[in-house]
């Protein structure tokens, strides 16, 4: 008689666990609140599904901050190479982009998800959508369905409900009070890979909102990276900002203030820039001098003035220094609903080495709802796949042991 497993949450973590458990011969049912599964996975594919990363694996495994130690052996279960092989087996070839990020050749998630769901169907996985998990009644799982409340008893349960970003796609973190009620330790959820509000003036905002700031270097506690970002309504967002978002968010929490140091002219030294600025005709306008000497476009010039309204009073060396290290203060992270991912979640000390809740034997947890975070670059999906497999192995082991 196969053992029954409920997987609550049909995102990448839950579906990966379903594949493994069904492959082991268990009777697997995936429950999801939404009308279809994998909605965030599909959204991730809209901007080019970055499924994993090709950097040196020794470096790769250090991308998970405080959770590095805990995730290290788990990532070995689904390495970047293994993810590429898995995707290829589902008919999705991948390529390594110039930044080392790995994408499906078709860039999209939909062909991969379609093939994956077909495989799960072949493996006998039952998908029950429009089933919202609302908690436990003792050993019974409770679901709200269009037909009313359903009570389900299974041999093992995996909870893989995701974080709190983009709640309209399904992961709305309604599980937080449900698990807290079970005595599960939850680290407060915070936005990760997010934009920030800044103290921009109304006029700057109106004029430059939506405009990119290209080819800049940004420095925060995590180090220096080069890239671009966008002036958003009242703030900043984009890949370069996401790379520094955990450091900025943590500094705001810790110190009440945080700033990103921007180098608006990477590749030029302060001395060279100062010499070029000093050569400019003092009668020319400030903008003209900056355009000619530093090759700054109007958005960069406006940002410079927004940060320091008296920049035009500075001498060449002072101005060059400001252009090379512009301290852009951030006020607060944008709301978690807008973030790419979520920091915080089920504390790693609340689960055992097999991803089972210590206080609820037979109930396991995987994916983004666990307390780890990582930058963008394919690290998020990789850890969701890997923790899905780790929890599935834990469930398989648990079910084997319970037969004895
Ligand atoms: C815009 C955007 C772009 C992204 N791009 C990338 C990228 O390129 N690369 C990358 O690595 N990561 C990316 N991510 C992050 C990645 O998509 C997530 O980390 C990943 O989807 C999390 O997987 P998960 O299985 O843990 O949870 P989710 O994918 O969030 O799935 C959770 C599932 O649980 C269901 N659920 C929630 N509550 C309940 C309930 N009470 N009852 C039943 N079901 C419930 C939801 O409907 C959902 O289907 C992106 C995220 C966003 C928002």
């Amino acid at each position: 008689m196969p053992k029954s497993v409920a997987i609550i949450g049909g995102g990448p973590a839950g579906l990966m666990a379903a594949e493994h458990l069904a492959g082991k011969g268990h009777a697997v049912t995936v429950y999801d609140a939404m009308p279809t599964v994998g909605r965030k996975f599909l959204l991730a594919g809209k901007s080019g599904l970055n499924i994993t990363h090709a950097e040196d694996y020794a470096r790769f495994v250090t991308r998970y901050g405080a959770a590095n130690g805990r995730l290290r052996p788990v990532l070995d279960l689904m390495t970047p190479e293994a993810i590429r092989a898995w995707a290829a087996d589902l008919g999705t070839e991948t390529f390594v982009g110039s930044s080392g990020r790995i994408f499906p050749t078709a860039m999209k998630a939909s062909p991969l998800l379609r093939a994956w769901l077909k495989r799960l169907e072949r493996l006998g996985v039952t998908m029950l959508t429009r089933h919202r998990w609302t908690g436990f009644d003792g050993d019974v799982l409770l679901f709200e369905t269009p037909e009313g409340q359903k009570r389900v008893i299974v041999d093992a349960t995996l909870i893989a409900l995701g974080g709190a970003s983009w709640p309209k796609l399904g992961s709305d973190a309604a599980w937080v009070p449900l698990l807290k009620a079970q005595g599960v330790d939850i680290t407060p959820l915070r936005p990760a890979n997010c934009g920030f509000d800044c103290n921009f003036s109304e006029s700057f905002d109106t004029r430059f909102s939506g405009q990119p700031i290209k080819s800049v270097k940004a420095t925060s506690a995590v180090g220096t990276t080069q890239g671009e970002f966008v002036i958003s309504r009242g703030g900043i967002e984009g890949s370069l900002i996401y790379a520094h978002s955990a450091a900025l968010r943590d500094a705001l929490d810790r110190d009440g203030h945080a700033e990103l140091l921007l180098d608006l002219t990477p590749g030029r030294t302060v001395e060279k820039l100062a010499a070029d600025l000093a050569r400019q005709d003092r009668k020319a306008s400030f903008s003209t001098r900056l355009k000619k000497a530093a090759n700054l476009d109007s958005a960069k010039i406006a940002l410079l003035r927004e940060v320091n309204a008296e920049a035009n009073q500075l001498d060449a060396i002072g101005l060059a220094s400001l252009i090379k290290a512009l301290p852009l203060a951030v006020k607060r992270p944008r709301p978690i609903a807008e973030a790419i991912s979520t920091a915080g979640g089920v504390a790693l000390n609340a689960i055992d080495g097999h991803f089972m809740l210590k206080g609820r034997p037979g109930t396991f947890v995987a994916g983004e709802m666990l307390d780890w975070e990582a930058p963008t670059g394919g690290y998020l999906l990789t850890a969701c796949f890997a923790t899905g497999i780790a929890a599935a192995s834990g469930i398989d082991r648990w079910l084997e042991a319970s037969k004895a």
Side-chain angles (χ1 to χ4, degrees):
M1 204 34 197
K3 295 278 187 179
S4 57
V5 182
I7 294 182
I8 314 177
L15 296 180
M16 192 53 87
E19 180 175 340
H20 275 254
L21 287 162
K24 297 267 181 199
H26 301 299
V28 178
T29 304
V30 175
Y31 297 87
D32 201 290
M34 300 300 280
T36 52
V37 297
R39 292 190 169 206
K40 196 176 277 182
F41 187 61
L42 286 177
L43 176 78
K46 282 233 162 104
S47 46
L49 186 72
N50 179 196
I51 199 162
T52 188
H53 203 290
E55 71 185 346
D56 181 45
Y57 189 57
R59 174 95 178 102
F60 185 101
V61 296
T62 64
R63 298 294 192 172
Y64 298 88
N68 278 339
R70 193 69 195 274
L71 287 188
R72 173 70 182 83
V74 175
L75 293 166
D76 288 348
L77 300 172
M78 195 61 165
T79 60
E81 272 313 304
I83 291 175
R84 296 189 76 180
W86 167 81
D89 204 40
L90 285 168
T92 290
E93 293 301 333
T94 52
F95 73 97
V96 181
S98 53
S99 60
R101 294 173 182 227
I102 295 177
F103 303 92
T105 312
M107 294 304 274
K108 296 187 283 187
S110 46
L112 179 57
L113 182 62
R114 255 197 316 275
W116 196 8
L117 293 179
K118 279 207 182 108
R119 172 182 286 177
L120 293 178
E121 195 184 330
R122 276 198 307 277
L123 285 167
V125 173
T126 304
M127 293 281 173
L128 293 180
T129 54
R130 295 191 167 91
H131 278 61
R132 169 171 290 279
W133 177 62
T134 55
F136 302 100
D137 178 7
D139 285 342
V140 181
L141 298 169
L142 303 176
F143 292 94
E144 253 171 40
T145 78
E147 294 80 41
Q149 196 193 56
K150 234 186 213 179
R151 298 170 64 84
V152 173
I153 297 183
V154 283
D155 296 310
T157 301
L158 173 65
I159 306 182
L161 300 175
S165 77
W166 291 70
K168 62 178 182 215
L169 300 177
S171 39
D172 57 8
W175 52 265
V176 171
L178 303 181
L179 289 186
K180 271 194 179 162
Q182 298 290 313
V184 177
D185 189 8
I186 315 262
T187 311
L189 305 189
R190 296 188 299 161
N193 297 304
C194 57
F196 287 83
D197 289 332
C198 300
N199 283 313
F200 290 149
S201 64
E202 189 70 35
S203 60
F204 175 80
D205 218 26
T206 313
R207 173 129 189 249
F208 292 100
S209 187
Q211 292 223 21
I213 303 287
K214 290 190 175 165
S215 290
V216 281
K217 272 190 180 164
T219 302
S220 71
V222 287
T224 300
T225 51
Q226 186 159 345
E228 65 179 72
F229 65 92
V230 177
I231 305 294
S232 55
R233 269 249 155 256
I236 49 175
E237 65 181 27
S239 55
L240 185 64
I241 306 306
Y242 301 157
H244 294 272
S245 60
L248 295 173
R249 180 203 63 207
D250 291 349
L252 282 169
D253 281 356
R254 190 183 56 239
D255 311 326
H257 58 88
E259 58 189 30
L260 194 60
L261 269 190
L262 296 174
D263 175 353
L264 300 180
T265 59
R268 293 199 204 198
T269 62
V270 175
E271 294 72 25
K272 167 87 172 72
L273 191 55
D276 289 343
L277 286 163
R279 254 199 313 276
Q280 299 305 308
D281 180 357
R282 291 296 297 176
K283 283 195 241 100
S285 74
F286 184 55
S287 297
T288 305
R289 280 185 281 140
L290 285 174
K291 270 181 197 150
K292 281 196 173 163
N295 200 22
L296 297 189
D297 62 19
S298 48
K300 279 185 178 171
I301 295 171
L303 185 63
L304 184 80
R305 302 195 77 156
E306 196 63 18
V307 172
N308 186 336
E310 270 140 38
N312 58 348
Q313 313 287 319
L314 295 169
D315 62 12
I317 189 78
L319 187 52
S321 305
L322 186 67
I323 292 170
K324 294 294 291 176
L326 186 71
L328 176 58
V330 296
K331 217 163 45 172
R332 68 180 89 83
R334 292 293 304 155
I336 198 165
E338 296 174 18
I340 297 287
S341 59
T342 300
V346 173
L348 296 180
N349 63 16
I351 53 169
D352 70 8
H354 303 283
F355 287 74
M356 184 168 80
L357 286 174
K358 286 178 185 164
R360 234 195 120 78
T363 302
F364 295 71
V365 186
E368 201 183 305
M369 68 184 289
L370 286 166
D371 180 14
W372 55 267
E373 66 173 313
T376 59
Y379 307 105
L380 299 163
L381 283 172
T382 302
C384 290
F385 293 143
T387 56
I389 292 176
S393 305
I395 290 175
D396 186 47
R397 192 177 157 274
W398 162 263
L399 292 174
E400 274 304 312
S402 64
K403 273 187 201 161

